[in-house]
Structures are given as structure tokens and as C-alpha cells.
Amino acid sequence: MPPKPLLILDIDETIIHSKQAPLARQCDLRVGIFHVYVRPHAELFLTTVSEHYDLAVWSSATRGYLAAIVKFLMATQKTQPLFVWDRSKCTRRVDYVEQDHFFLKDLKKVRRQGFDLDRVLILEDEPRKVQKHYGNAVYVEPFEGDLDDDELLKLAYYLQSICDVPNFRNLEKRYWRSRL
Ligand SMILES: [Mg+2]
């Protein structure tokens, strides 16, 4: 069996929505002052994609917050992420257009762990965070708490359909929804 490709998950606005101010319904989890809402179909998504990919997590959130959320999300999963990286693995950058700063996820750090970037995908709702490696990115619509959201169902289907592609970076992925 050839090794599985690596799928790096973003957390906030990709798998969950989390805010200090609660939505009009009960949250799924409280982490400190945050109300956390899990994106619909997250459990099925994780189970399905983990059959085809090794999973990892890379979030620009802080360590304790991230650990609590990953523990909650993975509690029902047979396989666990190969690594869980937090903000300390990100590179702080200034965005002169938006006049703010953001946390870049530089996949060089993943390559240094021995992963072949041809076979690495990273899910991200904020394209600038993966701007150095857009060829590895699959962009996700940000999740703000909508209970009718079916992004993760579509994404699971799409990710299954491409898991055998030898080099993900040669694959046009920006219009992935049109391939469904
Ligand atoms: Mg995000």
C-alpha cells in the first residue's frame, strides 16, 4: 500500500465556529470564554477523509484552546492526527492592504518533517495564511454557525475523489465545488 497523503486541517471557521458571544442556540463546547459550534457533518467528514488521508491539524489559535477543541473533535475518531500545530508554528506577518497582521502557515516546516509536499493538502478558509503554498491549499467557505451548512459533506466527497493524484500542486483546486 502506498502511503496515504497528508491532509492538514484548519480549525476555526473550517471545522468549528467559536466566539465569545454565543449564537442563539446552545453551543457544543465551552472553552474558557469561548462558545464553540461544530460545523455540521464534521464527524462524518473526519471519519471519511481519514480512510484516505493521514490527518494533521494546524491552527493559528493558541495551544490550550486548540488542544481542547481537537480533543473534543477527535474523541469519536479511531485515528488521531499525526501532529497538532498551534500559533507557535505560524509566522506572524503584517498585511499592509488590510492594515492588520495574520499568521502564516509555511509548509516548509511540514516538508522538514519529511513529508513530500506533492502529497500534502491544507484546508484553509483564509487564503492569505497559506499564500506561500497556494498549490497545496483547498479553500473552504468560512463557517459562521449556519446549521444548513454542507461544506464538509461536499469537501469529503471531493477529497476522496482526488486522493490518488500523484502531485496535488499540479491540480487546479480553486473551483473544486464545480467538480462535484
Ligand atoms: Mg480558519
Side-chain angles (χ1 to χ4, degrees):
M1 284 278 283
K4 288 179 183 175
L6 181 69
L7 178 68
I8 304 172
L9 308 172
D10 174 50
I11 294 294
D12 281 304
E13 272 61 57
T14 295
I15 308 288
I16 61 150
H17 172 73
S18 169
K19 281 272 153 50
Q20 289 185 38
L23 301 177
R25 65 173 191 273
Q26 176 116 35
C27 63
D28 298 306
L29 175 71
R30 286 286 298 268
V31 180
I33 54 173
F34 292 98
H35 298 78
V36 178
Y37 299 85
V38 178
R39 194 167 205 162
H41 315 292
E43 187 174 346
L44 178 63
F45 170 81
L46 293 170
T47 306
T48 307
V49 294
S50 63
E51 288 170 18
H52 304 276
Y53 293 81
D54 286 328
L55 299 186
V57 172
W58 196 353
S59 164
S60 56
T62 51
R63 179 168 308 188
Y65 166 90
L66 180 62
I69 288 169
V70 171
K71 185 177 173 195
F72 182 78
L73 289 172
M74 293 296 170
T76 54
Q77 297 297 315
K78 274 193 294 193
T79 50
Q80 296 297 308
L82 295 186
F83 59 80
V84 178
W85 285 358
D86 57 48
R87 181 177 297 178
S88 66
K89 285 280 190 180
C90 297
T91 310
R92 192 182 161 115
R93 282 282 154 85
V94 175
D95 185 326
Y96 293 100
V97 178
E98 297 292 329
Q99 306 256 312
D100 63 1
H101 73 265
F102 65 99
F103 293 98
L104 187 78
K105 300 173 183 178
D106 187 344
L107 293 183
K108 261 192 326 204
K109 295 180 180 177
V110 174
R111 190 173 57 215
R112 280 196 213 119
Q113 300 293 315
F115 295 98
D116 174 3
L117 292 191
D118 288 354
R119 296 281 285 155
V120 172
L121 288 174
I122 184 163
L123 299 186
E124 184 52 66
D125 65 290
E126 251 190 283
R128 66 182 180 172
K129 289 187 175 174
V130 289
Q131 62 187 206
K132 288 182 76 173
H133 293 93
Y134 54 84
N136 295 95
V138 177
Y139 300 121
V140 177
E141 281 296 317
F143 172 59
E144 309 280 358
D146 176 13
L147 281 170
D148 294 326
D149 181 284
D150 63 357
E151 186 85 340
L152 290 181
L153 280 186
K154 292 180 190 154
L155 199 56
Y157 185 82
Y158 174 70
L159 292 170
Q160 277 183 79
S161 76
I162 63 166
C163 69
D164 293 325
V165 170
N167 186 348
F168 292 132
R169 293 187 287 183
N170 290 340
L171 186 69
E172 173 55 76
K173 297 176 289 300
R174 281 174 296 178
Y175 312 106
W176 64 267
R177 287 176 196 80
S178 66
R179 293 215 358 172
L180 300 176

Short mmCIF file of all heavy atoms in Angstrom, two decimals, residues 50-79:
data_model
loop_
_atom_site.label_atom_id
_atom_site.label_comp_id
_atom_site.label_asym_id
_atom_site.label_seq_id
_atom_site.Cartn_x
_atom_site.Cartn_y
_atom_site.Cartn_z
N SER A 50 -10.29 10.34 6.86
CA SER A 50 -9.17 9.62 7.49
C SER A 50 -8.97 8.23 6.89
O SER A 50 -7.94 7.60 7.12
CB SER A 50 -9.35 9.56 9.01
OG SER A 50 -10.50 8.83 9.33
N GLU A 51 -9.94 7.74 6.12
CA GLU A 51 -9.73 6.48 5.39
C GLU A 51 -8.77 6.68 4.23
O GLU A 51 -8.12 5.74 3.78
CB GLU A 51 -11.06 5.94 4.85
CG GLU A 51 -11.97 5.40 5.94
CD GLU A 51 -13.36 5.10 5.42
OE1 GLU A 51 -13.53 4.99 4.19
OE2 GLU A 51 -14.28 5.00 6.26
N HIS A 52 -8.68 7.90 3.74
CA HIS A 52 -7.90 8.17 2.53
C HIS A 52 -6.66 9.02 2.79
O HIS A 52 -5.77 9.08 1.94
CB HIS A 52 -8.78 8.88 1.49
CG HIS A 52 -10.03 8.11 1.17
ND1 HIS A 52 -10.05 7.11 0.23
CD2 HIS A 52 -11.27 8.18 1.68
CE1 HIS A 52 -11.27 6.60 0.16
NE2 HIS A 52 -12.02 7.23 1.03
N TYR A 53 -6.64 9.70 3.91
CA TYR A 53 -5.55 10.63 4.23
C TYR A 53 -5.08 10.40 5.66
O TYR A 53 -5.88 10.07 6.53
CB TYR A 53 -6.03 12.10 4.14
CG TYR A 53 -6.41 12.58 2.78
CD1 TYR A 53 -7.66 12.29 2.24
CD2 TYR A 53 -5.53 13.34 2.00
CE1 TYR A 53 -8.03 12.74 0.96
CE2 TYR A 53 -5.88 13.80 0.74
CZ TYR A 53 -7.13 13.49 0.23
OH TYR A 53 -7.47 13.94 -1.03
N ASP A 54 -3.80 10.64 5.89
CA ASP A 54 -3.35 10.87 7.26
C ASP A 54 -3.76 12.30 7.61
O ASP A 54 -3.61 13.21 6.79
CB ASP A 54 -1.83 10.73 7.36
CG ASP A 54 -1.39 9.27 7.29
OD1 ASP A 54 -2.15 8.39 7.76
OD2 ASP A 54 -0.29 9.02 6.78
N LEU A 55 -4.24 12.49 8.83
CA LEU A 55 -4.71 13.82 9.22
C LEU A 55 -3.69 14.51 10.12
O LEU A 55 -2.96 13.87 10.87
CB LEU A 55 -6.04 13.73 9.97
CG LEU A 55 -7.22 13.14 9.22
CD1 LEU A 55 -8.48 13.27 10.06
CD2 LEU A 55 -7.42 13.83 7.87
N ALA A 56 -3.66 15.82 10.00
CA ALA A 56 -2.90 16.66 10.92
C ALA A 56 -3.73 17.92 11.14
O ALA A 56 -4.68 18.18 10.40
CB ALA A 56 -1.53 17.00 10.34
N VAL A 57 -3.36 18.68 12.14
CA VAL A 57 -4.07 19.93 12.45
C VAL A 57 -3.05 21.05 12.52
O VAL A 57 -1.99 20.88 13.13
CB VAL A 57 -4.83 19.83 13.80
CG1 VAL A 57 -5.40 21.18 14.22
CG2 VAL A 57 -5.94 18.78 13.73
N TRP A 58 -3.39 22.17 11.88
CA TRP A 58 -2.54 23.36 12.01
C TRP A 58 -3.46 24.57 12.12
O TRP A 58 -4.17 24.91 11.19
CB TRP A 58 -1.59 23.50 10.83
CG TRP A 58 -0.45 24.46 11.08
CD1 TRP A 58 -0.29 25.28 12.17
CD2 TRP A 58 0.67 24.69 10.24
NE1 TRP A 58 0.88 25.98 12.06
CE2 TRP A 58 1.49 25.64 10.87
CE3 TRP A 58 1.07 24.19 9.00
CZ2 TRP A 58 2.67 26.12 10.32
CZ3 TRP A 58 2.24 24.65 8.44
CH2 TRP A 58 3.04 25.60 9.09
N SER A 59 -3.40 25.18 13.28
CA SER A 59 -4.28 26.31 13.58
C SER A 59 -3.44 27.47 14.06
O SER A 59 -2.38 27.27 14.66
CB SER A 59 -5.26 25.89 14.69
OG SER A 59 -5.88 27.02 15.25
N SER A 60 -3.91 28.67 13.81
CA SER A 60 -3.20 29.83 14.35
C SER A 60 -3.74 30.21 15.73
O SER A 60 -3.41 31.27 16.26
CB SER A 60 -3.29 31.02 13.39
OG SER A 60 -4.63 31.32 13.12
N ALA A 61 -4.53 29.33 16.31
CA ALA A 61 -5.03 29.56 17.66
C ALA A 61 -3.95 29.21 18.70
O ALA A 61 -2.92 28.63 18.36
CB ALA A 61 -6.26 28.71 17.91
N THR A 62 -4.24 29.55 19.93
CA THR A 62 -3.27 29.29 21.00
C THR A 62 -3.38 27.83 21.48
O THR A 62 -4.38 27.16 21.25
CB THR A 62 -3.51 30.24 22.18
OG1 THR A 62 -4.88 30.17 22.54
CG2 THR A 62 -3.16 31.66 21.81
N ARG A 63 -2.34 27.38 22.14
CA ARG A 63 -2.16 25.94 22.39
C ARG A 63 -3.30 25.31 23.21
O ARG A 63 -3.85 24.28 22.80
CB ARG A 63 -0.83 25.71 23.10
CG ARG A 63 -0.58 24.24 23.42
CD ARG A 63 0.83 24.01 23.86
NE ARG A 63 1.75 24.57 22.88
CZ ARG A 63 3.06 24.39 22.89
NH1 ARG A 63 3.61 23.68 23.84
NH2 ARG A 63 3.84 24.94 21.98
N GLY A 64 -3.62 25.91 24.34
CA GLY A 64 -4.60 25.29 25.23
C GLY A 64 -5.99 25.23 24.61
O GLY A 64 -6.68 24.20 24.68
N TYR A 65 -6.38 26.31 23.97
CA TYR A 65 -7.66 26.38 23.28
C TYR A 65 -7.72 25.31 22.20
O TYR A 65 -8.70 24.55 22.09
CB TYR A 65 -7.78 27.79 22.68
CG TYR A 65 -8.86 28.00 21.65
CD1 TYR A 65 -10.14 28.41 22.03
CD2 TYR A 65 -8.59 27.84 20.29
CE1 TYR A 65 -11.12 28.62 21.07
CE2 TYR A 65 -9.55 28.05 19.34
CZ TYR A 65 -10.82 28.44 19.72
OH TYR A 65 -11.79 28.65 18.77
N LEU A 66 -6.67 25.23 21.41
CA LEU A 66 -6.64 24.26 20.31
C LEU A 66 -6.70 22.83 20.83
O LEU A 66 -7.45 21.99 20.31
CB LEU A 66 -5.38 24.48 19.47
CG LEU A 66 -5.20 23.54 18.29
CD1 LEU A 66 -6.34 23.71 17.29
CD2 LEU A 66 -3.85 23.76 17.62
N ALA A 67 -5.93 22.55 21.87
CA ALA A 67 -5.89 21.19 22.41
C ALA A 67 -7.28 20.76 22.86
O ALA A 67 -7.70 19.62 22.62
CB ALA A 67 -4.90 21.12 23.57
N ALA A 68 -8.02 21.66 23.51
CA ALA A 68 -9.36 21.32 24.00
C ALA A 68 -10.30 21.01 22.82
O ALA A 68 -11.09 20.06 22.87
CB ALA A 68 -9.92 22.47 24.83
N ILE A 69 -10.19 21.77 21.77
CA ILE A 69 -11.08 21.57 20.63
C ILE A 69 -10.72 20.30 19.87
O ILE A 69 -11.60 19.52 19.48
CB ILE A 69 -11.06 22.82 19.72
CG1 ILE A 69 -11.81 23.93 20.45
CG2 ILE A 69 -11.70 22.53 18.37
CD1 ILE A 69 -11.67 25.27 19.85
N VAL A 70 -9.45 20.07 19.67
CA VAL A 70 -9.03 18.86 18.95
C VAL A 70 -9.42 17.60 19.74
O VAL A 70 -9.92 16.63 19.18
CB VAL A 70 -7.52 18.89 18.65
CG1 VAL A 70 -7.03 17.54 18.10
CG2 VAL A 70 -7.21 20.00 17.65
N LYS A 71 -9.25 17.66 21.04
CA LYS A 71 -9.64 16.52 21.88
C LYS A 71 -11.14 16.22 21.71
O LYS A 71 -11.55 15.07 21.57
CB LYS A 71 -9.33 16.84 23.35
CG LYS A 71 -9.57 15.69 24.29
CD LYS A 71 -9.17 16.07 25.72
CE LYS A 71 -9.59 14.94 26.66
NZ LYS A 71 -9.57 15.37 28.06
N PHE A 72 -11.95 17.27 21.72
CA PHE A 72 -13.40 17.11 21.56
C PHE A 72 -13.74 16.55 20.18
O PHE A 72 -14.52 15.60 20.05
CB PHE A 72 -14.06 18.49 21.76
CG PHE A 72 -15.55 18.47 21.67
CD1 PHE A 72 -16.33 18.02 22.73
CD2 PHE A 72 -16.19 18.91 20.52
CE1 PHE A 72 -17.71 18.00 22.64
CE2 PHE A 72 -17.57 18.91 20.42
CZ PHE A 72 -18.34 18.44 21.49
N LEU A 73 -13.14 17.10 19.14
CA LEU A 73 -13.47 16.67 17.77
C LEU A 73 -13.01 15.24 17.50
O LEU A 73 -13.66 14.50 16.76
CB LEU A 73 -12.78 17.60 16.75
CG LEU A 73 -13.32 19.01 16.63
CD1 LEU A 73 -12.41 19.83 15.72
CD2 LEU A 73 -14.75 19.01 16.09
N MET A 74 -11.90 14.85 18.09
CA MET A 74 -11.30 13.56 17.77
C MET A 74 -11.74 12.45 18.72
O MET A 74 -11.34 11.30 18.55
CB MET A 74 -9.77 13.68 17.79
CG MET A 74 -9.21 14.55 16.68
SD MET A 74 -9.54 13.81 15.06
CE MET A 74 -9.05 15.14 13.96
N ALA A 75 -12.57 12.80 19.71
CA ALA A 75 -12.97 11.82 20.72
C ALA A 75 -13.63 10.60 20.10
O ALA A 75 -13.50 9.48 20.61
CB ALA A 75 -13.88 12.47 21.74
N THR A 76 -14.34 10.79 19.01
CA THR A 76 -15.07 9.67 18.39
C THR A 76 -14.30 9.05 17.23
O THR A 76 -14.84 8.17 16.55
CB THR A 76 -16.44 10.17 17.87
OG1 THR A 76 -16.20 11.29 17.01
CG2 THR A 76 -17.34 10.60 19.00
N GLN A 77 -13.08 9.49 17.01
CA GLN A 77 -12.31 9.00 15.85
C GLN A 77 -11.34 7.89 16.25
O GLN A 77 -10.73 7.95 17.32
CB GLN A 77 -11.52 10.17 15.22
CG GLN A 77 -12.39 11.27 14.68
CD GLN A 77 -13.28 10.79 13.54
OE1 GLN A 77 -12.85 10.10 12.64
NE2 GLN A 77 -14.56 11.16 13.60
N LYS A 78 -11.21 6.92 15.35
CA LYS A 78 -10.28 5.82 15.61
C LYS A 78 -8.82 6.26 15.44
O LYS A 78 -7.95 5.83 16.17
CB LYS A 78 -10.56 4.66 14.65
CG LYS A 78 -11.65 3.72 15.15
CD LYS A 78 -11.67 2.43 14.33
CE LYS A 78 -12.06 2.72 12.91
NZ LYS A 78 -12.41 1.58 12.09
N THR A 79 -8.59 7.10 14.43
CA THR A 79 -7.22 7.54 14.19
C THR A 79 -7.06 8.99 14.65
O THR A 79 -7.99 9.79 14.55
CB THR A 79 -6.86 7.45 12.70
OG1 THR A 79 -7.88 8.09 11.95
CG2 THR A 79 -6.74 6.01 12.25
#
